[in-house]
Amino acid sequence: MKKVLLGSILFALLVSCGNGKTKMDPFTTITGMVDSVGHKADTLREAGVKEEPEPIEADELFDDFIFNYASDDALQRQRTVFPLPYYNGDTPSKIEEKFWKHDYLFTKQSYYTMLFDKEADMDMVGDTALSAIQVEWIFLKTRMVKKYYFQRVKGMWMLEAINLRHIEEGENEDFVSFYTRFVTDSLYQSRHIRNPLQYITIDPDDEFSILETTLDVNQWYAFRPVMPVDKLSNINYGQKNEDLSNTKILKVNGIGNGYSVIFYFRKRGGEWELYKYEDTSI
């Protein structure tokens, strides 16, 4: 009798609990989380609060990041520290976000350039351990340089300042003066080309092989590519670009077109000369 009574009590308790319990939807918790996040985002937007930027895959390689930064207006604003410090010579100012205009950097061109003092420095391109990089415009006619200072913060590249000023002594001034005349004066150019000129290119009979040969001055004029005449861009990964260096390398990379040429300059007897030219465009 006691067993029957105990069984009845347990059954009643189970029925009572079952009647008072709502059936659990296994997606309720996840749905609630999504709704909560969406509501939070809407609230932030309505309040005009800027969401914290998140690292993206392109942050690993600066080259990937800078093309995304230059092409995407929303990303550019997200990855620029506002108000942005801007230095025009010795005059400091700050740019508020509402006055910022999208900066395409060099992506509106079909190419961009980089400067190195020695070949070993070219290996710095693609280094994922870098935390500070400057993107530069070198304006040949006005002798001005514009530097964009990027810093990696919490895994994200951020533009933290811009500096526009005259090229100072010890900052490629001598080479820039030479290069400006070299690309605009054909007679001067012919006198500053090593004869014979070392020439490296893809073997026309085997696209997987490199051909090393030489060109005389006349052949140079037949093979030479178009060289930038108004301004040079430069991505400074930390390589030294010193005015006292006796060697300079100008690398020209095409944007989405397989173009790749490198000009090797050196100073001999106090005069700059182009001594090697490499064209591995595909």
Side-chain angles (χ1 to χ4, degrees), residues 69-71 73 76 100-107 137 146 148 159 162:
Y69 177 88
S71 305
D73 182 65
Q76 185 168 115
W100 177 258
K101 293 183 179 180
H102 185 79
D103 193 329
Y104 290 94
L105 295 170
F106 43 73
T107 56
W137 276 120
K146 187 176 184 180
Y148 299 72
L159 175 63
I162 296 177

Side-chain angles (χ1 to χ4, degrees), residues 60-63 122-130 237:
E60 184 175 8
L61 276 176
F62 182 79
D63 286 13
M122 298 170 73
D123 294 335
M124 299 182 74
V125 178
D127 187 349
T128 58
L130 299 174
Y237 301 90

Side-chain angles (χ1 to χ4, degrees), residues 8 11 13 36 50 113 149 160 168 242 251 253 278:
S8 299
F11 178 78
L13 286 172
S36 175
K50 201 171 183 179
T113 63
Y149 292 83
E160 296 197 331
E168 297 177 0
E242 297 180 341
K251 191 173 192 302
N253 285 334
E278 180 176 322

Side-chain angles (χ1 to χ4, degrees), residues 169-276:
E169 187 176 349
E171 291 185 323
N172 285 315
E173 183 181 26
D174 183 49
F175 176 75
V176 170
S177 297
F178 156 76
Y179 178 82
T180 303
R181 187 173 178 186
F182 182 84
V183 295
T184 56
D185 186 333
S186 59
L187 290 177
Y188 180 83
Q189 184 177 117
S190 64
R191 294 197 302 268
H192 290 81
I193 295 176
R194 184 70 175 171
N195 197 7
L197 175 70
Q198 297 178 47
Y199 180 47
I200 301 172
T201 189
I202 295 175
D203 190 332
D205 298 322
D206 182 1
E207 61 181 10
F208 297 104
S209 297
I210 296 297
L211 178 66
E212 296 187 17
T213 183
T214 59
L215 301 174
D216 61 32
V217 175
N218 291 329
Q219 288 175 314
W220 155 254
Y221 284 106
F223 283 90
R224 69 172 180 172
V226 175
M227 302 178 75
V229 296
D230 296 322
K231 58 186 178 181
L232 298 174
S233 61
N234 186 37
I235 301 178
N236 193 322
Y237 301 90
Q239 71 268 27
K240 291 182 178 180
N241 283 312
E242 297 180 341
D243 204 38
L244 297 177
S245 174
N246 289 322
T247 56
K248 292 290 178 184
I249 300 169
L250 176 64
K251 191 173 192 302
V252 185
N253 285 334
I255 299 177
N257 55 22
Y259 185 74
S260 178
V261 298
I262 308 176
F263 303 95
Y264 297 83
F265 298 91
R266 67 185 175 195
K267 187 182 287 187
R268 305 190 87 180
E271 294 282 337
W272 284 101
E273 68 174 9
L274 175 68
Y275 74 94
K276 184 166 67 171

Side-chain angles (χ1 to χ4, degrees), residues 39-90:
H39 175 70
K40 181 180 178 182
D42 291 339
T43 303
L44 288 172
R45 280 192 290 270
E46 290 172 6
V49 178
K50 201 171 183 179
E51 293 185 68
E52 190 70 22
E54 295 287 341
I56 56 176
E57 186 177 350
D59 278 308
E60 184 175 8
L61 276 176
F62 182 79
D63 286 13
D64 291 339
F65 161 76
I66 197 63
F67 280 101
N68 279 275
Y69 177 88
S71 305
D72 188 329
D73 182 65
L75 177 66
Q76 185 168 115
R77 289 178 178 275
Q78 188 183 56
R79 294 304 188 84
T80 301
V81 176
F82 291 111
L84 181 71
Y86 185 95
Y87 300 87
N88 189 346
D90 295 326

